[in-house]
Amino acid sequence: MVPRLPLLFSFHQVVVGNGFVAGVRMRGRALLEVERIDGHEEQWITGIAPVGIAGGGSDRSVACTEFRRAWLEVLFDLAATAGSLDEFRELCGPFLSSQQASLTTLWDEAVASIRREHYVDPSLQSADADVEVAYEVVDLSHLDADANEVETGLQIAA
Amino acid sequence: MASSGELRLTDIERALEVCLPGCRWVLGVHRWHIYPPGGGAAFYLPKGGHGAGRRAVVQRGHVRKLARQFDVLACMQAELDAL
């Protein structure tokens, strides 16, 4: 059993602020862990890129929903304090680009473990762990339907 | 009173002040933005339920992840029995 699963995620979100409409796209990394809380198991997903957010619950589905909610709520908080799209973009930078060496090491070790054990999870697709972390904040004020994209959700980094 | 698996924000703040003095707590619309001293990455705690402001409670898992990110997990566990 692999104790920690390294995850990749792809989130897209429309964010409405004070006089602007922005699109935030992020390809990031997270770590899925099982914790024992008072005799029962909970699944928790922690942000690795970006750090600072986590979501957990009784199963993986709840953890995923809560993790995405955490990511969203930080963006909405930042949008609430921004007076313009440029200011929102500046505020997003420190959050969306945040990483921490000790947590990145945990994620790298989890990837190595997945590869060593040839771990396969039937409920998650696998994807290349070496894909770059990336984000962008774009102006959605003047886009059309060609800008629609579908998220890929969570994948195992292998 | 916080139930099992939950911790009160006042207790988290008190423990964090012992383990990592000088953290800055900023309340957003949805989350507490907690900035460590010295300029590291923030951690974003839910505002919590079952009470207003710092009397609210949050799931213990959030606090464990905050403590790990700030590298104070052992100290926080010593300060907070429920952690």
Side-chain angles (χ1 to χ4, degrees), chain A residues 98-151:
Chain A
S98 65
Q99 298 193 33
Q100 182 165 312
S102 61
L103 295 177
T104 300
T105 298
L106 282 182
W107 193 85
D108 289 340
E109 290 172 351
V111 171
S113 177
I114 288 284
R115 288 173 171 171
R116 191 171 52 246
E117 299 184 24
H118 303 291
Y119 180 84
V120 176
D121 189 306
S123 63
L124 289 171
Q125 290 183 323
S126 292
D128 181 7
D130 297 324
V131 67
E132 297 267 329
V133 172
Y135 73 89
E136 63 177 343
V137 180
V138 299
D139 185 356
L140 289 187
S141 305
H142 310 292
L143 290 182
D144 57 28
D146 290 341
N148 288 327
E149 292 181 50
V150 178
E151 294 181 344

Side-chain angles (χ1 to χ4, degrees), chain A residues 7-73:
Chain A
L7 302 176
L8 300 169
F9 67 85
S10 161
F11 291 160
H12 302 165
Q13 181 65 38
V14 174
V15 178
V16 178
N18 299 308
F20 64 88
V21 181
V24 180
R25 300 185 184 119
M26 170 125 214
R27 193 168 60 227
R29 296 174 175 173
L31 202 57
L32 173 67
E33 299 164 288
V34 177
E35 297 209 351
R36 286 201 72 78
I37 308 276
D38 299 329
H40 67 276
E41 286 189 351
E42 288 189 358
Q43 308 235 359
W44 279 83
I45 298 176
T46 307
I48 301 299
V51 295
I53 52 174
S58 57
D59 60 36
R60 188 180 294 177
S61 171
V62 176
C64 179
T65 300
E66 291 301 312
F67 177 70
R68 194 180 192 288
R69 180 197 302 270
W71 182 80
L72 271 182
E73 288 186 344

